[in-house]
Amino acid sequence: MKLILLGPPGAGKGTQAKRIEEALNIVQLSTGDMLRDEVASGSETGKKAKDLMESGNLVPDDMIIGMISSRIDRDDCKNGFILDGFPRTGPQAKALDELFAEKGMTLRYVIEIVADDEAMVERITGRYTCDECGSGYHDKFQQPKVDGVCDKCGSTAFSRRADDNAETVRARLKAYHEQTEPISSYYSEKGILRKVDGMAGINDVTAEINDIVRS
Ligand code: ADP
Ligand code: ADP
Ligand code: ZN
């Protein structure tokens, strides 16, 4: 099954993608994670992306489309994948359609996690991630069972993203409304858009998504 998760920064795309990944045995493809790996490795792509990401702006479409095109050809995508953070612009959505047509793939659902801007600032500024396994946590909304220890892998090392500050969140929300939100109607016209309430609790959002993907 091939899915897209759409939604503003902080809506819960990464959190839900990891759960769907396990439930459906498909892989999460996060363009944000891929770009952060490029930045960390100091590659040419990473050098071009770094400042744009830190200021909360989108990176160029062609950079992202090339990354996704080669990624979905890999073996671990055979059983399906969930796109988290891609597409984010009209041209990316059209390019994805072309890629799927070339590769004989079908997009099953686009799940839009709908959430309020104001709540997203608190979500983003409280977010942190396990360095070892990438599990996501929140200072208030998703604490590990044992303070300072990852539930999944037991690691005690965590990180916060350079772009997860209140100022950058505003820029990212602006980019979302101007460039990403319009693609929701593009998928609605195709009849594959499903909306879920991202202001609900994490488990309730998972339950809503499960209902959709199992229908
Ligand atoms: P996105 O990938 O859409 O930017 P994340 O999944 O990283 O969002 O979630 C942002 C932060 O909010 C994380 O710290 C996560 O633990 C927390 N979070 C995710 N979903 C919810 C929710 N439904 N209610 C409260 N907090 C949430
Ligand atoms: P969020 O948790 O805010 O949804 P992501 O991790 O998905 O953030 O993305 C972080 C940053 O990486 C974005 O602000 C943007 O600079 C860049 N980025 C990620 N995916 C894309 C994309 N599909 N198109 C353009 N830029 C992207
Ligand atoms: Zn961990």
Side-chain angles (χ1 to χ4, degrees), residues 111-183:
I111 300 173
E112 180 177 352
I113 306 181
V114 181
D116 301 341
D117 280 14
E118 277 320 303
M120 296 307 99
V121 178
E122 190 182 14
R123 289 229 192 135
I124 293 279
T125 52
R127 164 162 73 183
Y128 61 98
T129 309
C130 171
D131 286 350
E132 281 303 315
C133 73
S135 290
Y137 294 97
H138 191 280
D139 292 328
K140 196 161 142 190
F141 304 129
Q142 203 183 2
Q143 297 164 335
K145 290 191 186 79
V146 178
D147 203 26
V149 182
C150 176
D151 292 345
K152 198 172 172 195
C153 76
S155 165
T156 53
F158 300 90
S159 298
R160 291 177 193 261
R161 280 167 44 180
D163 60 340
D164 277 354
N165 57 73
E167 191 192 334
T168 308
V169 179
R170 305 260 172 227
R172 283 153 64 196
L173 286 167
K174 188 164 179 276
Y176 181 77
H177 292 304
E178 289 177 0
Q179 293 169 272
T180 309
E181 219 168 17
I183 67 178

Side-chain angles (χ1 to χ4, degrees), residues 9 13 31-32 35-36 52-53 56-59 64 85-86 88 92 127 161 163 172:
K13 301 181 297 296
T31 45
L35 287 169
R36 281 183 286 280
L52 289 166
M53 292 174 75
N57 291 299
L58 298 182
V59 310
I64 287 285
F86 176 89
R88 251 177 162 98
Q92 289 181 22
R127 164 162 73 183
R161 280 167 44 180
D163 60 340
R172 283 153 64 196

